[in-house]
Amino acid sequence: MAPQRRISRAQFLSYLNKLKQGQPVPEQRLKQAAHQFGLAIIPLLDRAKRQHVKRDLVIFTGIDPTAITEWQAAMSTEYASTRIDQAALGNSHNARVSGVMLTVRSQRQPHPQVVLIDAEGSINVGAAGPPAERAVIVENLENFLNLTGTLALLPECGLGPEWQDADILYGSGNSITNHLLTPAFQQYREIGCLFDPDIGGVRMCDTLFQRGNLPPLYFLAPADLPARLEASLRTIDKDQREQLAMHIRRSPPCAHVGGLIFKTGKHIEQETYLIPSPPTSELPNESGL
């Protein structure tokens, strides 16, 4: 089923005006608009007298005009930020914020710096220095905070010494896939994705690859990942296996790690990368046993 087309503010105001004047309005579109803008209009409509005209057009009578006037006043004020605009209507979750923050650190700047990107793609680095040639996105906060451990892991992922100077970007889970971050990513020659070797991490890598206008992406994982997965007690289900197959098929950067998860039927979290691998073939599982 195709998604419903969003209704403009002007269109919704015209519906409210017709409702107030007792003129026919498209019932389903009116309800959709009320839901879209976070207005509880349905209880009023349910108590009103309903006269069907034709197709989806209905005349509602017996509605308190004061309530409609209040909605019209609320809808008539439009703020510069869509998020603020929706917040004024008590519905901020229905709109994106006007920009994003990216937390960055590196050997050159070990203390985290914040980079701001607005909705137009302008980048404000503040006190941060110029970007490095390469970046590594670290999904989880524990790994991001452990800069020494994360940098020590990079050679195990097959990366050369030049990656020791990379900017380490905090992924903050799925928020790193926000499209507003694209201009910041485009500053780099290459990007390593240190994501969880699970369906969520593969999905994020796929999302970034599908954007199509980013530098080369690499899903990073240590060489001993197959053994780590085999030792894990966490398994994937049938739905996750099907999702993996889709991501692997359409996104080459996901093929290696996704394929290992698919083959073993196991997944782990990247925090376990901070547990040193023992010299034997027996690796600890995620319970630490």
Side-chain angles (χ1 to χ4, degrees):
M1 181 182 296
Q4 291 181 312
R5 181 170 56 86
R6 286 181 61 83
I7 297 170
S8 70
R9 175 187 300 271
Q11 187 65 59
F12 187 33
L13 281 170
S14 74
Y15 293 162
L16 292 178
N17 190 50
K18 290 179 179 180
L19 194 65
K20 191 174 184 179
Q21 295 178 2
Q23 299 179 11
V25 293
E27 183 175 18
Q28 294 307 314
R29 295 283 286 171
L30 174 65
K31 291 180 178 179
Q32 178 194 337
H35 176 74
Q36 178 183 307
F37 289 99
L39 298 179
I41 199 174
I42 307 302
L44 286 185
L45 296 182
D46 290 344
R47 291 194 296 268
K49 183 178 180 181
R50 180 180 180 279
Q51 177 187 345
H52 179 259
V53 179
K54 61 179 180 179
R55 297 191 298 276
D56 188 41
L57 294 177
V58 173
I59 294 176
F60 292 96
T61 55
I63 294 179
D64 181 5
T66 303
I68 301 178
T69 300
E70 291 175 353
W71 286 331
Q72 287 175 317
M75 291 295 301
S76 296
T77 304
E78 187 168 5
Y79 296 90
S81 163
T82 305
R83 183 82 173 192
I84 299 173
D85 188 34
Q86 289 293 324
L89 301 173
N91 195 36
S92 63
H93 66 276
N94 200 38
R96 292 172 172 164
V97 294
S98 56
V100 287
M101 299 189 304
L102 186 62
T103 309
V104 185
R105 65 187 309 204
S106 66
Q107 286 200 112
R108 296 174 290 112
Q109 294 180 315
H111 189 80
Q113 309 290 317
V114 175
V115 175
L116 300 178
I117 304 99
D118 65 22
E120 283 69 47
S122 298
I123 302 173
N124 184 346
V125 299
E133 290 192 349
R134 296 167 181 83
V136 174
I137 303 171
V138 176
E139 180 181 347
N140 295 329
L141 181 59
E142 187 67 31
N143 299 73
F144 179 78
L145 293 175
N146 192 332
L147 180 62
T148 301
T150 295
L151 291 176
L153 179 67
L154 299 186
E156 299 181 37
C157 297
L159 299 181
E162 66 275 12
W163 284 83
Q164 293 298 304
D165 293 324
D167 283 343
I168 308 299
L169 315 180
Y170 176 41
S172 188
N174 193 53
S175 65
I176 199 65
T177 61
N178 191 315
H179 75 287
L180 293 179
L181 289 170
T182 299
F185 293 152
Q186 290 173 333
Q187 298 179 107
Y188 298 102
R189 284 178 49 187
E190 301 173 286
I191 297 177
C193 300
L194 191 61
F195 295 159
D196 284 334
D198 63 10
I199 184 62
V202 173
R203 184 186 302 114
M204 286 194 295
C205 185
D206 180 28
T207 300
L208 292 174
F209 181 77
Q210 293 301 320
R211 193 155 297 163
N213 55 354
L214 296 181
L217 298 173
Y218 312 105
F219 197 137
L220 304 181
D224 64 355
L225 179 61
R228 290 177 179 268
L229 287 170
E230 289 287 0
S232 175
L233 300 178
R234 306 179 64 197
T235 59
I236 60 174
D237 57 31
K238 180 181 177 182
D239 289 342
Q240 292 173 325
R241 184 175 289 274
E242 292 175 353
Q243 292 176 50
L244 273 174
M246 176 191 68
H247 297 314
I248 294 169
R249 184 171 59 251
R250 70 182 189 180
S251 291
C254 300
H256 175 62
V257 174
L260 290 174
I261 299 170
F262 191 92
K263 178 181 177 181
T264 61
K266 307 283 190 68
H267 63 116
I268 59 177
E269 296 180 356
Q270 69 172 246
E271 285 93 341
T272 59
Y273 291 161
L274 299 175
I275 303 173
S277 300
T280 66
S281 59
E282 293 185 6
L283 290 171
N285 59 43
E286 287 195 271
S287 66
L289 301 177

